[in-house]
Amino acid sequence: MYSSKIVSLGHHVPDTVITNQYLSNLMDTNDEWITERTGIKERRWIDPKVDTVANMAAKATRMALQRANLTEKDIDFIVFATITPDYFFPGSGVLLQRELGLDGRIAALDIRNACSGFIYALSVADQFIKTGMYKTILVVGAEIQSTALDITTRGRNTAVIFGDGAGAAILQRSDKQGILSTHLHSDGRFAEELYVKDPGSSRPHAERQPEQILDTTSFKVVMNGNQVFKHATTRFMEVIQEALDQNNLKKEEISLLIPHQANLRISQYIQAKLSLRDDQVYNNIMRMGNTTAASIPIAMSEAWAEKRIKENDVLCLAAFGSGFTWASALIRW
Ligand code: COA
């Protein structure tokens, strides 16, 4: 059996910065409420004339390739995590493949596990490398959340949280064990606690005709914030402990925890429970908002560039999100 290692990271976020002040002009909210409940000060939203999920992913990929002196031709397989694909189908994997000029040569797989999507994708890529099927895999998380938000007072509990962006990781076969383990969970009983209903295929034919869709509420993000918060705090802790136990590591041996950037209060809760110092946890939600599957790879790419991740460090990734799904990964850098 082979081992896999992350050899490079990259990210791209849209140019447009959306401040809390800007949102308070669109809906009944304010900087104080958003900062206190979520920690978010600003997020990036796309300009639909410039950005797509696939082209943001391509920009993140090119940064990762350049940082490792690799080229598009080195990629054997693409695993693309997003719940906001450019089209209802096909998925964004093939669109990224086209952007990278890799048509027909390699395969592209799409993962739709929301905020846990990047760790799910990393886990899939890790298995393909371990079995020897591929040597170099591009793992991407990219999202455009802004266009599915209800940016009126009715949607203010979600509109203030989510942002857009893309992050990419290059995984390669390695002599040294980089990815130590990944841990994946889901519980569909809570599917409707955080979801977008449409375009749902189970709708009767008549209801799916564009001229019938006068009320577009069902195309917007719906979230039961209290339920999500409650489950997230429990599941984050469980899945981090599961990863530590499997590798016989103690919580104080985590060099850097990169939690999915759901809400700063959730990150701070986990940090306190694990008794980690500030320098052992990486957060960028203050600047990026919650970018769903993109949040972990964007944060990793930033942390790596800031030299917060060093050789031999134990990196812990953990996520929770819609589904519900939750996941963790332990990595020896
Ligand atoms: N600005 C101002 N007031 C807002 C608001 C906003 N953006 N959003 C909601 N409110 C109001 C509510 O309408 C409610 O008003 P009421 O008391 O008059 O009814 C009040 O604030 C409290 O709402 P509540 O939903 O109980 O607040 P909360 O403390 O639970 O915070 C969240 C809301 C969404 C910030 C919080 O539940 C949360 O962070 N949940 C987890 C979300 C998450 O992590 N999602 C991503 C998962 S991957």
Side-chain angles (χ1 to χ4, degrees):
M1 193 113 107
Y2 299 101
S3 292
S4 66
K5 184 178 171 15
I6 296 176
V7 297
S8 193
L9 294 155
H11 69 280
H12 175 80
V13 292
D15 290 338
T16 311
V17 177
I18 304 291
T19 62
N20 293 346
Q21 177 59 42
Y22 175 84
L23 292 178
S24 67
N25 297 329
L26 301 178
M27 62 191 82
D28 181 12
T29 191
N30 56 73
D31 177 51
E32 196 187 352
W33 193 97
I34 302 170
T35 307
E36 192 187 310
R37 309 284 176 122
T38 72
I40 300 166
K41 288 301 230 182
E42 58 189 41
R43 69 292 286 143
R44 304 295 182 104
W45 283 2
I46 59 143
D47 173 350
K49 290 193 283 302
V50 177
D51 305 298
T52 66
V53 170
N55 79 23
M56 288 196 299
K59 287 174 187 165
T61 300
R62 291 203 179 96
M63 180 190 279
L65 289 170
Q66 274 163 17
R67 283 170 166 180
N69 283 326
L70 295 169
T71 72
E72 286 85 343
K73 301 275 178 285
D74 292 305
I75 300 167
D76 296 329
F77 186 46
I78 296 172
V79 190
F80 197 129
T82 184
I83 49 165
T84 53
D86 290 312
Y87 300 139
F88 187 55
F89 74 84
S92 294
V94 293
L95 302 184
L96 173 60
Q97 177 186 34
R98 183 170 67 188
E99 295 263 353
L100 297 175
L102 295 172
D103 310 331
R105 208 177 60 82
I106 60 162
L109 173 72
D110 291 273
I111 303 263
R112 3 186 319 126
N113 288 74
C115 301
S116 311
F118 181 78
I119 301 181
Y120 268 74
L122 191 71
S123 180
V124 169
D126 182 40
Q127 313 312 314
F128 272 118
I129 287 186
K130 280 184 174 145
T131 58
M133 178 121 172
Y134 298 120
K135 282 189 183 157
T136 301
I137 302 184
L138 168 63
V139 184
V140 172
E143 306 278 5
I144 294 177
Q145 293 289 353
S146 56
T147 52
L149 297 172
D150 178 353
I151 50 172
T152 68
T153 298
R154 189 178 50 183
R156 64 185 176 173
N157 73 322
T158 51
V160 302
I161 291 180
F162 293 101
D164 305 334
I170 315 269
L171 239 74
Q172 282 192 320
R173 187 190 287 180
S174 157
D175 300 335
K176 197 182 140 202
Q177 205 187 5
I179 298 189
L180 303 178
S181 63
T182 54
H183 307 267
L184 312 178
H185 296 274
S186 52
D187 191 341
R189 286 175 300 169
F190 302 99
E192 287 80 18
E193 300 292 352
L194 174 52
Y195 82 129
V196 175
K197 184 168 186 160
D198 280 315
S201 305
S202 58
R203 288 278 204 200
H205 186 264
E207 284 180 28
R208 295 194 72 195
Q209 304 316 302
E211 61 276 13
Q212 303 283 334
I213 305 171
L214 301 175
D215 176 8
T216 55
T217 317
S218 60
F219 286 81
K220 309 289 185 206
V221 179
V222 172
M223 178 175 76
N224 181 346
N226 291 317
Q227 273 286 85
V228 174
F229 199 99
K230 203 175 78 190
H231 284 264
T233 44
T234 309
R235 298 307 195 182
F236 262 113
M237 293 307 300
E238 282 175 8
V239 81
I240 292 169
Q241 195 58 51
E242 183 183 344
L244 291 169
D245 290 347
Q246 173 147 339
N247 293 285
N248 289 319
L249 288 168
K250 296 193 201 61
K251 55 186 166 66
E252 46 276 20
E253 292 176 90
I254 296 175
S255 316
L256 191 66
L257 169 68
I258 302 188
H260 161 57
Q261 301 292 292
N263 180 316
L264 191 61
R265 282 161 62 211
I266 296 178
S267 291
Q268 287 168 341
Y269 174 89
I270 307 165
Q271 178 177 345
K273 280 274 176 190
L274 292 171
S275 312
L276 297 178
R277 301 181 308 271
D278 286 350
D279 63 293
Q280 288 173 292
V281 184
Y282 192 85
N283 290 308
N284 64 6
I285 191 168
M286 309 72 88
R287 292 178 284 112
M288 298 292 176
N290 175 344
T291 56
T292 316
S295 97
I296 289 181
I298 294 173
M300 282 173 86
S301 173
E302 286 194 338
W304 192 49
E306 291 166 22
K307 309 224 178 319
R308 296 272 303 268
I309 310 174
K310 297 175 288 300
E311 180 94 28
N312 242 12
D313 272 0
V314 174
L315 184 65
C316 180
L317 312 179
F320 177 88
S322 168
F324 291 143
T325 58
W326 60 104
S328 65
L330 264 189
I331 299 165
R332 173 77 66 183
W333 203 259

